[in-house]
Amino acid sequence: MGEREGGTARFAPPEWLLRSLRPQPTPVPKAAAGRAAVALAAPLAVGLAVGRPEYGALVSMGALSGVISDTAVAYRMRILTIAVPQLFGMAGVTVGTLVYGEGWAAVGVLTVVALISGMISSIGAVASVSGLLLLLNAVVGAGLPMPGPWWRPPVLLGLGGLFVLFLSLLAWPWRGRAPEQAAVAETYRSVAGLLAAAGTVAYDERRQEVTQSLDTAYDLILARRAREHGRRGPLVELLAQLNVVIPLVEAAAAAHRYGRASRRPEIAAAVRELADSVAQGRRTAPPLVLPPPEGPADRAVDSAVRHASVVVHQTDHDLTNVDDRLGRPASLRIRARRAFRDVLFCEPSWRYGLRLALCIGLAQALVSLVVVPRSYWVALTVTFVLKPDFGSVFSRAVLRALGTAAGLLVAAAVLALVPRGGWDVPVMMVLAALIPAFSAKGYAFQTAAITPVILMLSDILNQQGFHLVLPRLADSLVGCAIALVAGYLLWPESWHTRIGDRLAAAVEDTASYVLCAFGTPGSGDGHAHDQAERVRRRRRLYRDLSSVRSEFQRALTEPPPTGARAAAWWPLVVATERIVDATTAARVRVDHGAKPPAASEVAGIERQVRELAEGLRESEVLVEVRAELPGDEEGVLEPLRQEVRAARAIASPEPRS
């Protein structure tokens, strides 16, 4: 029995691959699935009705690009996330169409387009999708015969994207601020869950959910307020309701460590009631029934809940003093100038662009030297696998191959069993609806959903039928091999990454936050004057730590040694978050009656945290350090000292070389 189990273990897939293949527990976006079904099937139906199915296929291709870009929640943001990438996609297909059949000229042009695509991907989420569609459509235009003249393909693709945008904005007149309102209400619900988990092992997970909810809500509201500068109105009111969540979150940190009355279910129930009021726009405040506080932590929670109730329910409260906790975004002109400067002078931006350009150049050179029918699929595979800001190149190449194989099985059945013509429309509706549904589950699932759609549209343009399937599998494997060799193995940074750099920066910011929370040593201040700055620092810290978590989760999907090293460093990520929590809890207790700490205690903790950050930058492995942190064992900073000692006492999983 033992041998059988051992043999099974030897032939089991590696853990990093299983982790990548595990579907994400996210709900299916039903509205997006419905939009995708209509957006991709309707153009085909119109094209068949007027006798120009190739036109319908091009409009559907543009709609596919719009579906990939349709990720925003707020209506105003959908204009940005769908329309801007479409412009880049139109430019890409224009360039590709002009070099179709031009051999080595096409190789050079697509290589330059790949360099630009990789470089602009570092700007942000919208620029990332724009870079993807720029290169994607350029590859398709250079590899597939398009109906002339040259301006017709970009116009048809643009119509498809505009159709998706139109469908996504249909409900705007009736639900104008509903996404922002729902985001604020969801933040209140996540805080209620955080308070319900105070004092339990579930607290850390709930706090991460609060961080994500706050990030989403602030991003939605502040992005709109960058264009709406009034001091009154629905968005300012939502911002006021969101800002009063901050004291609740800070008080929850104290309740987790010291709470008594604040851990009773009435507290979480009261915050859930506030969430319902925000979601429904309700102004009638139900009576607050809260347990009497029994200490500084309880007083902090009680005060925060009562203040939040006043802000949520009052109709005539003064909104002229509402401040943005994270600051509104700069003007579009300033952000564009910063982005342009960052792209030109950022070393990672150039590295990403050069990696992508090298792989696309090799892919196009290969298909120019070797006769490969419909060779655009090789470069298409490289584009999806090596898109530098999408995550691990190695795992994406493996997942791309697996997802393509699964998608080709579906495509083979469709191309073999479904006759071309009217049946394309209902089949496309089903396949298109699967794209948003599967994309939420993971990259391999998204690839499996997109592959049959692209093959169906390609078949309408070139009429190859079932014979498309096997060549596409071979092309995908070739593209994955190019990405792995030229885009991964030749770049040591991708498999010898110093995964602690971003964590070290977060730890250093944590040291600054400790100092800010209790004032400059010797000043005895740190409350009224520095309160707004402390809130901003803590919010940015949690946002940065959330990004670090995402980076580590991405590294965990890499094969050894990177994945193993990320797993070994993971406890330090958690330890850093606990240091921030302990700092916040201590500050809240001081604000509500506890004795302030001595300046020497604050300085000692800050010094130890900075030394931890310096050690992370100097070493590839974690080395145990015993921190000597004397201080008042009954004082407010004792739990913080314990967390710092724990962080510094994390031992290395391997000896220092």
Side-chain angles (χ1 to χ4, degrees):
M1 184 69 180
E3 290 184 8
R4 182 177 301 175
E5 291 178 353
T8 302
R10 281 197 299 270
F11 291 104
E15 178 60 29
W16 62 267
L17 180 58
L18 291 176
R19 189 182 295 112
S20 300
L21 287 172
R22 194 171 296 125
Q24 298 297 318
T26 54
V28 174
K30 297 179 182 178
R35 287 196 298 270
V38 174
L40 269 73
L44 285 184
V46 174
L48 290 169
V50 300
R52 301 307 297 259
E54 70 277 10
Y55 288 4
L58 278 174
V59 177
S60 292
M61 279 190 175
L64 176 61
S65 300
V67 168
I68 294 174
S69 311
D70 185 13
T71 56
V73 177
Y75 290 102
R76 290 175 183 263
M77 292 302 295
R78 290 178 187 177
I79 299 176
L80 187 66
T81 58
I82 296 177
V84 173
Q86 284 299 313
L87 295 176
F88 281 85
M90 293 169 65
V93 77
T94 302
V95 172
T97 302
L98 292 176
V99 298
Y100 172 72
E102 295 296 327
W104 289 104
V107 175
V109 169
L110 288 182
T111 301
V112 173
V113 171
L115 175 65
I116 297 172
S117 170
M119 292 183 68
I120 67 176
S121 295
S122 61
I123 297 175
V126 175
S128 173
V129 179
S130 299
L132 171 67
L133 294 186
L134 172 68
L135 181 56
L136 187 69
N137 287 357
V139 169
V140 172
L144 277 177
M146 297 287 176
W150 64 268
W151 52 264
R152 187 167 291 163
V155 169
L156 293 173
L157 287 173
L159 286 176
L162 288 176
F163 187 39
V164 174
L165 181 60
F166 169 75
L167 293 175
S168 68
L169 299 179
L170 276 177
W172 193 0
W174 298 275
R175 303 181 69 248
R177 67 180 183 127
E180 292 88 347
Q181 190 170 355
V184 176
E186 183 59 32
T187 301
Y188 273 84
R189 292 191 182 96
S190 65
V191 173
L194 181 70
L195 288 165
T200 71
V201 294
Y203 177 85
D204 288 339
E205 184 178 351
R206 298 287 86 80
R207 187 192 45 70
Q208 294 159 27
E209 294 174 0
V210 170
T211 298
Q212 293 172 358
S213 295
L214 272 170
D215 289 346
T216 300
Y218 268 121
D219 287 344
L220 288 177
I221 295 176
L222 294 181
R224 285 189 62 176
R225 290 208 66 220
R227 296 178 295 277
E228 297 181 10
H229 297 280
R231 300 302 297 174
R232 291 185 179 273
L235 284 180
V236 181
E237 185 177 298
L238 282 174
L239 182 60
Q241 294 173 351
L242 186 60
N243 281 346
V244 295
V245 170
I246 301 296
L248 270 172
V249 176
E250 292 181 334
H256 175 55
R257 294 177 175 275
Y258 313 102
R260 286 176 293 218
S262 54
R263 296 184 185 179
R264 290 176 56 177
E266 295 96 306
I267 300 292
V271 179
R272 290 192 190 96
E273 192 70 32
L274 293 179
D276 294 339
S277 295
V278 172
Q280 300 165 14
R282 192 170 61 202
R283 295 305 180 191
T284 303
L288 275 178
V289 182
L290 303 178
E294 302 178 28
D298 295 340
R299 287 196 294 272
V301 173
D302 183 88
S303 173
V305 172
R306 294 184 185 279
H307 179 55
S309 179
V310 169
V311 173
V312 166
H313 293 115
Q314 277 192 355
T315 58
D316 57 350
H317 53 275
D318 180 20
L319 297 177
T320 59
N321 293 320
V322 175
D323 293 323
D324 297 339
R325 295 290 182 157
L326 296 181
R328 284 180 287 178
S331 68
L332 183 61
R333 179 173 54 84
I334 294 175
R335 281 180 284 169
R337 187 165 62 243
R338 289 175 182 169
F340 183 74
R341 184 180 64 246
D342 291 343
V343 166
L344 285 184
F345 300 104
C346 177
E347 183 182 350
S349 173
W350 278 97
R351 286 201 304 267
Y352 292 157
L354 289 172
R355 287 169 66 185
L356 192 56
L358 173 63
C359 292
I360 291 294
L362 288 175
Q364 286 298 119
L366 175 66
V367 299
S368 297
L369 295 171
V370 180
V371 179
V372 180
R374 308 303 174 200
S375 56
Y376 69 95
W377 201 268
V378 178
L380 207 66
T381 299
V382 171
T383 301
F384 279 112
V385 171
L386 196 64
K387 199 62 175 61
D389 57 319
F390 276 176
S392 164
V393 171
F394 187 92
S395 62
R396 285 178 66 83
V398 175
L399 296 177
R400 172 75 184 181
L402 295 176
T404 299
L408 287 174
L409 291 176
V410 177
V414 170
L415 295 176
L417 301 177
V418 179
R420 299 280 70 81
W423 282 101
D424 287 339
V425 177
V427 172
M428 180 59 71
M429 288 188 71
V430 174
L431 294 178
L434 294 178
I435 294 176
F438 278 32
S439 296
K441 299 301 178 183
Y443 179 66
F445 300 94
Q446 181 191 50
T447 302
I450 291 178
T451 298
V453 171
I454 295 180
L455 282 176
M456 273 193 67
L457 297 175
S458 301
D459 183 53
I460 294 173
L461 290 173
N462 56 43
Q463 301 294 325
Q464 279 197 332
F466 182 78
H467 300 291
L468 276 173
V469 176
L470 288 180
R472 293 297 75 80
L473 178 59
D475 293 345
S476 294
L477 295 178
V478 171
C480 290
I482 290 174
L484 280 176
V485 175
Y488 181 76
L489 295 178
L490 295 183
W491 301 80
E493 67 187 34
S494 53
W495 42 283
H496 284 312
T497 178
R498 290 182 59 85
I499 57 178
D501 285 346
R502 293 190 66 180
L503 178 58
V507 172
E508 190 169 39
D509 289 342
T510 301
S512 299
Y513 174 61
V514 170
L515 199 60
C516 178
F518 298 99
T520 304
S523 69
D525 191 14
H527 177 54
H529 182 267
D530 293 332
Q531 184 176 9
E533 177 64 20
R534 186 172 69 247
V535 169
R536 282 191 289 269
R537 284 178 182 264
R538 188 185 59 80
R539 285 290 305 120
R540 291 194 181 102
L541 251 179
Y542 278 134
R543 184 186 287 253
D544 291 344
L545 287 170
S546 179
S547 299
V548 169
R549 273 183 169 270
S550 299
E551 194 71 29
F552 270 69
Q553 292 283 7
R554 184 181 299 170
L556 289 173
T557 63
E558 294 274 13
T562 300
R565 185 172 297 135
W569 283 45
W570 183 255
L572 190 54
V573 179
V574 178
T576 304
E577 292 174 336
R578 292 179 63 87
I579 290 174
V580 179
D581 278 347
T583 304
T584 302
R587 180 69 249 181
V588 169
R589 290 187 71 202
V590 170
D591 289 344
H592 289 81
K595 180 182 177 182
S600 58
E601 291 186 74
V602 177
I605 293 173
E606 187 249 354
R607 182 178 62 255
Q608 288 288 342
V609 177
R610 289 197 185 278
E611 288 178 2
L612 175 61
E614 293 171 3
L616 292 177
R617 289 195 173 95
E618 295 172 357
S619 176
E620 287 279 357
V621 296
L622 301 178
V623 180
E624 180 181 357
V625 175
R626 293 296 178 182
E628 296 295 333
L629 277 171
D632 183 5
E633 295 184 359
E634 302 296 327
V636 72
L637 291 188
E638 179 57 24
L640 177 56
R641 278 193 293 271
Q642 293 175 3
E643 296 296 349
V644 173
R645 290 191 193 103
R648 303 220 63 187
I650 295 177
S652 168
E654 56 188 74
R656 181 188 291 272
S657 59

